[in-house]
Amino acid sequence: MDLELILKVYPYFLEAAVVTIELSVLTVLLGLICGALAAAARMSRFRLLRIIGAVYVSVFRGTPALIQLFLLYFGGPQVGIQLDAFEAGVIGLGLNIGAYMAETMRGAIVSVDGGQTEAARTLGLSRAQAFRKVTLPQAMRLMIRPLGVNINAQIKGTALVAAISVVELTYTAQRYIGSTYKPFEMFFLAGVLYIIIISVTGKGISYLDRKVRLP
């Protein structure tokens, strides 16, 4: 292993890691918003909303994220949607992970004993109040860990935006391989940085999970 080369290029990889973190944060935030809206739509009393939610989840879970990125970035201009590579990456990956988060959220909500909601209703709470004060707090405890799995997968999934030339970790590794002909060192350095990012994220998720489970 060429340690001297790794020490020489690592500042550029750190810059790329910042881009990876930015991508991860923005796509996760967008995914949480889309996931919450889709989960609410799928559980709505209105049939049209249920259909819209189901179509969104089916489309984005049923097609590869890379194809979705290509359609958004390369196909967008044909229908008047002009996005730079970073914007296309955030929107494409955010919509994709949102479909998975929607099912995670919906699964956590429906797993809460319905009898508790009925008991809350008999005490005079409205349907919305029962959901907000009884169902949602319990569902939150159940969805933290599965959402954490989605988030970790999303961090690794940001590597896909290298295909549309976003200068993040994977793209940076590929670029330096072309000039150094040292694939092992470049991917090793990128892998170490991915592990650090995911480890820190995992510790944060574990801490949040412990906090919400405390009585």
Side-chain angles (χ1 to χ4, degrees), residues 79-152:
V79 293
I81 301 174
Q82 297 286 345
L83 298 171
D84 63 33
F86 186 87
E87 293 169 341
V90 170
I91 294 172
L93 293 180
L95 290 173
N96 179 268
I97 197 64
Y100 291 90
M101 288 181 168
E103 291 301 278
T104 297
M105 294 177 184
R106 189 173 73 94
I109 291 169
V110 300
S111 66
V112 176
D113 185 6
Q116 298 186 45
T117 301
E118 295 301 320
R121 295 294 305 279
T122 60
L123 293 175
L125 274 67
S126 67
R127 184 183 298 273
Q129 289 173 327
F131 177 78
R132 187 175 69 253
K133 295 181 178 181
V134 178
T135 304
L136 187 58
Q138 296 181 71
M140 288 291 293
R141 296 187 179 96
L142 297 173
M143 69 175 67
I144 294 296
R145 288 183 181 176
L147 284 177
V149 173
N150 293 151
I151 291 170
N152 281 334

Side-chain angles (χ1 to χ4, degrees), residues 26-67:
L26 292 174
T27 55
V28 166
L29 289 176
L30 178 58
L32 288 170
I33 293 170
C34 293
L37 293 174
R42 295 208 65 189
M43 295 184 293
S44 172
R45 289 176 292 173
F46 300 101
R47 185 169 181 268
L48 178 60
L49 289 178
R50 293 199 304 272
I51 292 173
I52 292 172
V55 168
Y56 165 70
V57 170
S58 296
V59 168
F60 282 93
R61 290 185 66 180
T63 56
L66 186 59
I67 297 298

Side-chain angles (χ1 to χ4, degrees), residues 114-192:
Q116 298 186 45
T117 301
E118 295 301 320
R121 295 294 305 279
T122 60
L123 293 175
L125 274 67
S126 67
R127 184 183 298 273
Q129 289 173 327
F131 177 78
R132 187 175 69 253
K133 295 181 178 181
V134 178
T135 304
L136 187 58
Q138 296 181 71
M140 288 291 293
R141 296 187 179 96
L142 297 173
M143 69 175 67
I144 294 296
R145 288 183 181 176
L147 284 177
V149 173
N150 293 151
I151 291 170
N152 281 334
Q154 182 69 347
I155 294 171
K156 291 178 284 187
T158 57
L160 291 173
V161 299
I164 57 173
S165 302
V166 177
V167 186
E168 45 70 70
L169 278 173
T170 300
Y171 183 87
T172 300
Q174 292 172 340
R175 185 173 65 180
Y176 277 98
I177 288 169
S179 60
T180 64
Y181 302 101
K182 297 280 188 176
F184 179 81
E185 285 83 352
M186 298 303 101
F187 281 127
F188 175 81
L189 181 54
V192 168

